[in-house]
Amino acid sequence: MMRPKHILTALAAVLLLAAACLPASAAAVAVGEQAPAFSLQDLDGRTHTLADYKGKTVVLEWINPNCPVSDRHATEGTMTRLASRHRDVVWLAINSTNPKHKDYLQADEHKEWAAENGIEYAILYDPTGKTGKAYGAQTTPHMYVVDQSGKLVYNGAIDDDPPGRRKAAERTNYVNGALLAQTSGRDVDPATTKAYGCNVKY
Amino acid sequence: MRPRRHLSALAPAALAAPALAAAVLALAAAPPAAAAAGDWQVNEQSRVRLITPFDVAPAEGPVRLGLHFETEPGWHVYWKNSGDAGYPPSLDLAATPELSDVELLWPAPERYELPGGLVAYGYEGEVVYPVAARIDAAGRGRITITAEVDYLVCEVECIPYRYQLTVEQPVAGPGESPLTDAATAPLLAEWAARVPEPVAAVGGVASEAAVDWDGGEGPGSEGPEIEVVVTGAEPAAQAEPQVFFGPSDTYGTGRPRLLDDRSGGALRFRAPLELLSVPDEPPATLPLSWTVTGLARGDGSGRPLAVEASGEVPVLTGGGPLLGEAAASRLRPAQLGRVLLMAAAGGVILHLMPTLLPLLLLGLLVLRPVQASHGRLAARAALATAAGAFAGAVALGAAAVAAHRAGLPAAWGSQLQEPVLVALLALAVTLVALNLWGLFPVPLRFPSPDERPGASLGGRAALLRGAGLGLISAFLALPWNPPLLAPSLGPAVRAGLLPALAAFAALGAGLALPWLVVAARPELLRRAPRARFAAGGWGRHLAEALAFLEVGSVLWLLYVLARQVSAEAVAFLQLALLGLALAAWLRHGARRRVPAVALAALMVLLAATILWLADRNRLAPGADRVETLETTTTTGG
């Protein structure tokens, strides 16, 4: 005769099996969904989480100083100019380079590069690449805008000029457009564009 | 230019010897080195130059140039869709007024896997991008073609380059005919032949595409997929057919696979579609451009062929093959058999799901006949439950077919994309949790300690309760997607009403199986311990513990809902569930007996409110946004 203890043990085993039957939803986040949470350390070892900035608009920029495209935007000041123009927006740069990859920069070298380019916003390390994969970051640079309620409202390129041929004023800066739309309550349009740059070195 | 420099250097000495003069003249008269090709611009990873096929170009009309790259091993330049990273080369001929209508053409690319699961499309080693243009240089004699090229060359790292490329191009005078270059013209022709042709221009070959919104079958194919079909072309002898998609700002594509199914002689590909934005409902069409390479011409020559096509392709629901002959299939008997088996197995597996497991375990314990003579009563009640589960599953099948006919997604799993259904499921599962906590009478009735053993098993009430339990079990299967259900039910629904009902009936049979076993052999139940459902008894403890599985399922449903509707709608539903629990608890503790009907009425009211909200489109994300007046833009771009 089965004892209650056996029933409960069998139950526990069955539950583990049943966990396999949850509908899968592990794809990268899409615009319109809640931006995935993260908890990453910056170059000084301080931890930043997305929840820290709830209530503010957050721009996430995937960078890699050793990628010429990402570095060009740093040299030209595309992102820093934008960050200083939108002072109430939180700007976070994320470097998802695999520590074993030759592009990986130690904190002091990274700080040097940031200082050379006048970057004052936080630069976060994502060494496991988990945050990058959760956001579906493919290139450096790859830009995301998260609104004040934590919803992703823009995913894509910084602008429409991958080779950087045109002058800054002649390029359409999608992130600027997204931030302006946010402040005036309009829909972000385009909400997605194809990002360009080097591949993220996971 | 080299000859001229020599000329000027030698000029003073030219008078010295006629032989020297003849040599100089010979040099001057020789055509400039590689008139049809500009100089190479060289860097460590690659080199690039501009070429034309002409030693003497036509003065007017369409012409082809070539952007010629050679790259070091491992380094590649990009196709028009660079893939997950990079960007394609750009060519600017604005500095050459004689050329207009310039268009860069793209030979069929290769696919490169990058670390991190990323992919690139491009060319390694050598590529000539043909450039179509119109020339208007009548009476010029010679023009200088000047172009600016920007490109990215990548191996593991990427390096951008920008060069100015020039070619000196003699132009045919009046009455002169153009002259092709023996070296560059065949090179350009070879690469021009690799540019995919529009499929409409290739006789006997056709290609269609569609989006399967409900996703494919088998592991790794959840979510929408693109299906591309090519008819009238065979795979090339030395190459494997591949499909490439054009770039898009609104979606990305995953790794395509060539399906084994060659019914009707068609080549069929499937690739995951990754939408960058979550739409409220499936779009009617999707703008898509696709290129299929690795084909052979059907004219018997076996020459390689690549085709391209584009358009707004339809977005279809229901799962299974979409296009061509395979799509119109009725399920063949062997396939139907497999579908029925998978659906039945899926039905059995469903009993392991957190919403159904408590009902099964406790339902069996409640049915356990205390005396052996009550075995027949227990068997009848179990049979009623089996019938209820079966009927419930068939009803789900009918609903699936109706949804499919109405154009809604109808594959198993797509029910979780309907916010209203998810909300109603959350309500129902909450009620079951309340039932297990003893606060609500339906669906399980735990025998009270002072009634005669077996009293609850007899009579019509027991049969009705059993059937109700079975029906609710079928409904509570909806939050879950165990492995076998989607691949079996999807094709069945698409194949028609009868196959769909048969498949769902098989699902019902799987759901009903434990109850059928008990109905056939009620003495098996006596192996279970006798549960005491009195307050403090272990049976009641078990029921209360299992109720937490139900609550966990509600949390899962709320998570699913949170991804689809606004936060306010989720909060409303959470409040509604809390209110329901509170009402049940109050009723339970009330001194005067409040009929359960009141609680049921409350639930109906809540369900109706949810439906009303959905109808007014208040559940959609963003519906809560405060409308602001448009203000004039303050800062510039």
Side-chain angles (χ1 to χ4, degrees):
Chain A
M1 197 165 97
M2 280 177 71
R3 309 186 52 145
K5 198 169 61 168
H6 296 165
I7 296 181
L8 288 172
T9 326
L11 205 61
V14 140
L15 279 177
L16 286 172
L17 287 172
C21 297
L22 281 181
S25 56
V29 66
V31 164
E33 294 179 340
Q34 290 294 109
F38 58 77
S39 170
L40 302 174
Q41 294 192 335
D42 66 13
L43 301 179
D44 295 313
R46 269 199 303 271
T47 304
H48 298 250
T49 71
L50 188 58
D52 291 342
Y53 304 109
K54 183 109 193 238
K56 290 182 155 250
T57 305
V58 179
V59 175
L60 300 175
E61 171 198 350
W62 257 261
I63 60 166
N64 175 4
N66 281 313
C67 164
V69 186
S70 186
D71 190 47
R72 166 173 72 81
H73 279 296
T75 318
E76 290 177 3
T78 318
M79 321 302 195
T80 45
R81 268 205 311 274
L82 207 50
S84 64
R85 190 184 309 145
H86 295 272
R87 287 234 166 260
D88 50 342
V89 165
V90 175
W91 200 289
L92 297 171
I94 301 184
N95 190 332
S96 291
T97 303
N98 189 332
K100 297 206 190 88
H101 195 277
K102 65 178 164 75
D103 276 5
Y104 187 77
L105 281 180
Q106 297 299 337
D108 49 350
E109 294 173 301
H110 218 311
K111 281 198 231 184
E112 222 180 279
W113 174 83
E116 280 168 21
N117 292 295
I119 295 177
E120 289 171 353
Y121 45 82
I123 299 179
L124 310 178
Y125 275 123
D126 175 32
T128 62
K130 205 163 72 112
T131 304
K133 302 244 174 84
Y135 278 85
Q138 295 170 328
T139 62
T140 49
H142 197 142
M143 313 298 300
Y144 296 86
V145 178
V146 179
D147 75 2
Q148 294 166 347
S149 69
K151 191 169 68 162
L152 189 66
V153 294
Y154 178 76
N155 165 358
I158 174 71
D159 60 24
D160 61 348
D161 186 18
R165 306 177 58 94
R166 290 176 260 148
K167 298 205 199 5
E170 290 163 20
R171 303 177 196 158
T172 303
N173 189 308
Y174 296 123
V175 173
N176 188 43
L179 295 174
L180 288 175
Q182 280 290 98
T183 47
S184 58
R186 282 177 287 123
D187 281 336
V188 174
D189 183 31
T192 61
T193 57
K194 188 170 185 339
Y196 67 81
C198 319
N199 51 307
V200 175
K201 307 292 192 268
Y202 287 115
Chain B
M1 287 278 293
R2 202 159 293 209
R4 290 215 186 97
R5 255 188 273 136
H6 281 176
L7 204 53
S8 58
L10 290 167
L15 298 165
L20 209 48
V24 159
L25 283 170
L27 272 174
D39 291 332
W40 285 106
Q41 300 294 333
V42 184
N43 53 63
E44 247 185 74
Q45 300 79 24
S46 62
R47 52 186 200 159
V48 60
R49 65 175 181 171
L50 201 57
I51 63 173
T52 79
F54 302 110
D55 280 337
V56 177
E60 279 175 321
V63 288
R64 279 245 170 113
L65 315 175
L67 184 60
H68 189 187
F69 285 91
E70 284 178 359
T71 65
E72 290 296 304
W75 291 84
H76 51 263
V77 288
Y78 287 102
W79 188 53
K80 63 180 174 181
N81 177 6
S82 53
D84 291 331
Y87 53 81
S90 61
L91 189 69
D92 184 359
L93 277 162
T96 310
E98 296 85 1
L99 292 176
S100 59
D101 293 344
V102 176
E103 190 189 345
L104 196 62
L105 303 176
W106 311 91
E110 296 292 331
R111 196 187 157 86
Y112 302 100
E113 307 278 337
L114 304 170
L118 301 178
V119 78
Y121 305 122
Y123 316 92
E124 185 189 329
E126 186 185 20
V127 61
V128 178
Y129 296 87
V131 181
R134 286 197 68 83
I135 190 170
D136 186 6
R140 293 293 305 276
R142 146 179 275 138
I143 59 171
T144 304
I145 306 180
T146 310
E148 274 204 15
V149 65
D150 274 282
Y151 69 97
L152 192 68
V153 61
C154 302
E155 179 201 40
V156 172
E157 56 182 66
C158 290
I159 309 184
Y161 287 106
R162 173 179 299 170
Y163 293 114
Q164 192 179 73
L165 307 173
T166 54
V167 173
E168 293 292 323
Q169 182 62 63
V171 175
E176 239 189 296
S177 50
L179 203 61
T180 55
D181 183 276
T184 57
L187 178 66
L188 196 51
E190 179 202 331
W191 283 95
R194 296 201 208 182
V195 173
E197 302 170 49
V199 70
V202 182
V205 178
S207 181
E208 275 185 278
V211 174
D212 181 354
W213 192 254
D214 298 324
E217 301 147 22
S221 55
E222 316 239 356
E225 287 199 325
I226 302 173
E227 181 169 311
V228 172
V229 169
V230 179
T231 51
E234 285 297 310
Q238 304 293 341
E240 193 183 308
Q242 290 190 74
V243 66
F244 298 88
F245 297 102
S248 166
D249 278 335
T250 54
Y251 60 83
T253 55
R255 171 190 276 278
R257 56 190 198 279
L258 177 61
L259 301 185
D260 291 327
D261 171 24
R262 297 287 311 276
S263 52
L267 286 166
R268 191 179 300 270
F269 300 88
R270 279 211 161 218
L273 175 69
E274 293 146 9
L275 287 165
L276 297 174
S277 284
V278 172
D280 294 334
E281 45 182 53
T285 63
L286 189 82
L288 187 73
S289 82
W290 65 99
T291 301
V292 183
T293 66
L295 304 172
R297 280 175 208 279
D299 56 6
S301 65
R303 278 180 302 131
L305 172 68
V307 294
E308 64 175 12
S310 63
E312 292 276 345
V313 304
V315 176
L316 306 174
T317 61
L322 298 181
L323 303 162
E325 289 179 21
S329 65
R330 303 274 159 251
L331 281 176
R332 288 194 294 276
Q335 283 178 314
L336 184 64
R338 212 170 55 122
V339 157
L340 293 181
L341 215 57
M342 284 165 74
V348 176
I349 293 179
L350 276 172
H351 280 293
L352 297 178
M353 298 297 103
T355 48
L356 292 182
L357 189 62
L359 291 180
L360 179 66
L361 289 181
L362 293 169
L364 289 176
L365 286 176
V366 163
L367 266 191
R368 185 196 185 282
V370 175
Q371 300 160 0
S373 56
H374 290 150
R376 262 191 49 213
L377 291 175
R380 275 193 343 168
L383 204 55
T385 309
F390 188 81
V394 171
L396 285 180
V401 172
H404 180 61
R405 296 245 174 105
L408 298 169
W412 189 272
S414 54
Q415 66 267 17
L416 287 182
Q417 286 159 15
E418 274 303 312
V420 174
L421 190 55
V422 176
L424 290 177
L425 274 174
L427 267 182
V429 178
T430 303
L431 280 178
V432 172
L434 292 172
N435 171 235
L436 295 184
W437 276 324
L439 297 175
F440 194 69
V442 179
L444 282 174
R445 184 182 171 288
F446 302 108
S448 57
D450 49 348
E451 68 181 41
R452 283 183 299 114
S456 61
L457 288 179
R460 223 161 46 129
L463 289 179
L464 277 176
R465 272 201 301 273
L469 177 65
L471 265 175
I472 289 178
S473 299
F475 187 56
L476 290 188
L478 287 175
W480 313 108
N481 192 5
L484 297 168
L485 284 189
S488 55
L489 296 176
V493 170
R494 291 205 79 247
L497 179 64
L498 283 180
L501 288 181
F504 275 87
L507 174 69
L511 274 177
L513 188 64
W515 304 104
L516 288 173
V517 166
V518 164
R521 290 211 170 287
E523 58 271 17
L524 281 177
L525 275 180
R526 285 181 58 81
R527 296 250 198 116
R530 181 176 169 190
R532 295 173 203 293
F533 288 106
W538 72 266
R540 181 149 304 272
H541 277 193
L542 183 66
E544 288 167 359
L546 289 174
F548 284 96
L549 279 181
E550 304 283 347
V551 175
S553 311
V554 174
L555 294 182
W556 156 249
L557 288 169
L558 288 174
Y559 164 76
V560 168
L561 196 64
R563 290 167 68 107
Q564 300 169 25
V565 299
S566 63
E568 281 67 19
V570 176
F572 170 79
L573 182 65
Q574 288 169 324
L575 280 176
L577 296 178
L578 192 64
L580 194 62
L582 182 64
W585 179 77
L586 285 173
R587 177 185 160 267
H588 178 73
R591 245 171 291 170
R592 238 178 322 167
R593 191 177 152 68
V594 177
V597 167
L599 208 52
L602 179 63
M603 178 181 156
V604 168
L605 182 66
L606 287 172
T609 314
I610 289 174
L611 287 170
W612 175 81
L613 281 177
D615 187 48
R616 298 292 184 94
N617 210 22
R618 299 291 208 93
L619 290 181
D624 51 295
R625 183 175 309 193
V626 175
E627 297 293 326
T628 57
L629 293 171
E630 288 262 340
T631 56
T632 54
T633 330
T634 48
T635 53

